[in-house]
Amino acid sequence: MPNFTMSVPPKLSGNAGQDLIALKEWGTALADELSYLFSHLDAGNVAEAASVKAENINTNSAKITNAQIGELTADKLVTGSVDTSIVTIHDKSGTLTMTGSAMQIGDGQQDRFIARFDKTDGTFTFALINDEGDPTVYIDDGGNAIFTGTVESSNIFSTHMIGTSTEAYQQKEGGVFADINPTGIKIMQDKNHVRNQKLGLAVGNDGTAYIILGAGDGTDAVTINGVTYTNGTFNIQKFNNGASMGIVGSAPFISFWQNSGNINIDGTKVLINGMDVVEEIRALKNTGNTALSQEES
């Protein structure tokens, strides 16, 4: 700190005129030295000061290029920014911590909320943690979200509802899931790394409703309402003026026509309790024809 060189005020001589001139000269010198001292204060030359408090400093323009601050509270910091890569920020209760590119909120026992950006690999992590320390909501940088608790909502928008783990779904190692898209709802099942459809529900643009059961036998391919099925799949359709039931790859074995009320059963044999109904009708018809011929003769 610059040395203060001013002496004490001059002694009075008893000559009023001379004493007044001496005091005036001493006061002028004192003002000049004080002005010099205050204009040359910096963080280095006030180190020997016992205490410098923020509330005692009032300036509209100041720059401190080198300072060691033992404690800084928010009421003293009214502008500027804090570099969290250098300074860790805590709230008074210790439940909030901000450091680097991460923010954590705890309950005093463990972290309950984490939002972190990893500059090394550019990944983002967002997690809500339950009181047992397990993430109940986890979102990674790709937007993939994992919910381990109960999810309640009046609206859930999704194209897939998967009843298995992410790893099992990606590797087709097992599990049943629903695939929802404009072609309908399909219940899929993975087995031996092969994904097959087990159930399909759809309504076509013409209003025809479809229920498809099974995955088929793998032969041929038939497209129904934008979805490809193989032979052997069980198919139920409700169209504008009727309904049908059959196996994909073959003609429907039952058809109902609403306008006429007719039911068409198509098959080589129609068995009821093991009895060939068509054959019995043919036999009765032949018997009736034979009896009629005998009466006429």
Side-chain angles (χ1 to χ4, degrees):
M1 181 175 181
N3 294 325
F4 187 73
T5 60
M6 283 298 299
S7 62
V8 298
K11 294 182 179 181
L12 298 178
S13 64
N15 187 325
Q18 292 180 354
D19 290 340
L20 184 60
I21 293 173
L23 288 173
K24 182 178 180 181
E25 291 176 349
W26 179 86
T28 301
L30 175 62
D32 291 340
E33 187 159 348
L34 288 176
S35 176
Y36 173 81
L37 289 175
F38 289 136
S39 64
H40 289 80
L41 287 177
D42 59 27
N45 57 39
V46 297
E48 62 269 30
S51 177
V52 178
K53 297 182 179 180
E55 58 264 28
N56 295 330
I57 300 175
N58 182 12
T59 179
N60 295 325
S61 178
K63 181 179 181 181
I64 301 175
T65 58
N66 182 17
Q68 292 183 350
I69 302 175
E71 181 178 354
L72 178 64
T73 57
D75 60 328
K76 303 299 189 301
L77 184 65
V78 296
T79 186
S81 61
V82 177
D83 188 347
T84 56
S85 65
I86 301 175
V87 179
T88 298
I89 300 174
H90 300 277
D91 70 339
K92 190 173 183 179
S93 64
T95 57
L96 169 66
T97 301
M98 297 179 64
T99 180
S101 299
M103 181 174 67
Q104 299 171 193
I105 300 176
D107 58 6
Q109 301 296 324
Q110 60 186 2
D111 291 335
R112 299 297 297 273
F113 168 82
I114 297 175
R116 180 189 303 116
F117 177 74
D118 192 334
K119 296 180 180 179
T120 58
D121 56 12
T123 58
F124 173 79
T125 300
F126 175 95
L128 297 177
I129 302 170
N130 62 19
D131 55 5
E132 297 179 355
D134 300 321
T136 56
V137 177
Y138 179 86
I139 303 176
D140 63 17
D141 61 297
N144 301 308
I146 299 175
F147 299 86
T148 59
T150 301
V151 179
E152 296 184 9
S153 176
S154 58
N155 294 289
I156 297 179
F157 299 91
S158 175
T159 57
H160 290 76
M161 299 182 65
I162 303 172
T164 186
S165 67
T166 302
E167 182 179 1
Y169 172 76
Q170 293 173 344
Q171 298 181 6
K172 299 181 181 179
E173 289 185 342
V176 178
F177 66 93
D179 191 352
I180 306 172
N181 57 45
T183 63
I185 302 174
K186 298 179 285 296
I187 306 299
M188 313 292 290
Q189 184 179 35
D190 296 339
K191 186 176 182 181
N192 299 326
H193 303 286
V194 176
R195 181 161 294 161
N196 292 317
Q197 178 166 318
K198 295 299 183 180
L199 172 65
L201 304 173
V203 177
N205 294 331
D206 60 356
T208 301
Y210 303 89
I211 299 178
I212 314 296
L213 304 176
D217 57 18
T219 62
D220 294 331
V222 176
T223 300
I224 300 177
N225 195 38
V227 181
T228 301
Y229 302 90
T230 62
N231 290 344
T233 305
F234 186 66
N235 176 26
I236 301 175
Q237 296 186 25
K238 170 62 179 74
F239 39 87
N240 185 40
N241 60 344
S244 66
M245 182 185 302
I247 301 296
V248 172
S250 303
F253 52 78
I254 297 179
S255 299
F256 169 73
W257 305 98
Q258 188 172 357
N259 292 341
S260 62
N262 294 334
I263 297 178
N264 180 51
I265 301 177
D266 186 9
T268 304
K269 293 182 179 181
V270 179
L271 303 177
I272 299 179
N273 293 330
M275 180 177 63
D276 189 341
V277 177
V278 175
E279 187 62 30
E280 289 295 327
I281 293 175
R282 289 173 180 169
L284 289 174
K285 183 178 179 181
N286 291 335
T287 300
N289 290 338
T290 302
L292 180 60
S293 298
Q294 290 176 352
E295 289 178 1
E296 290 177 349
S297 60

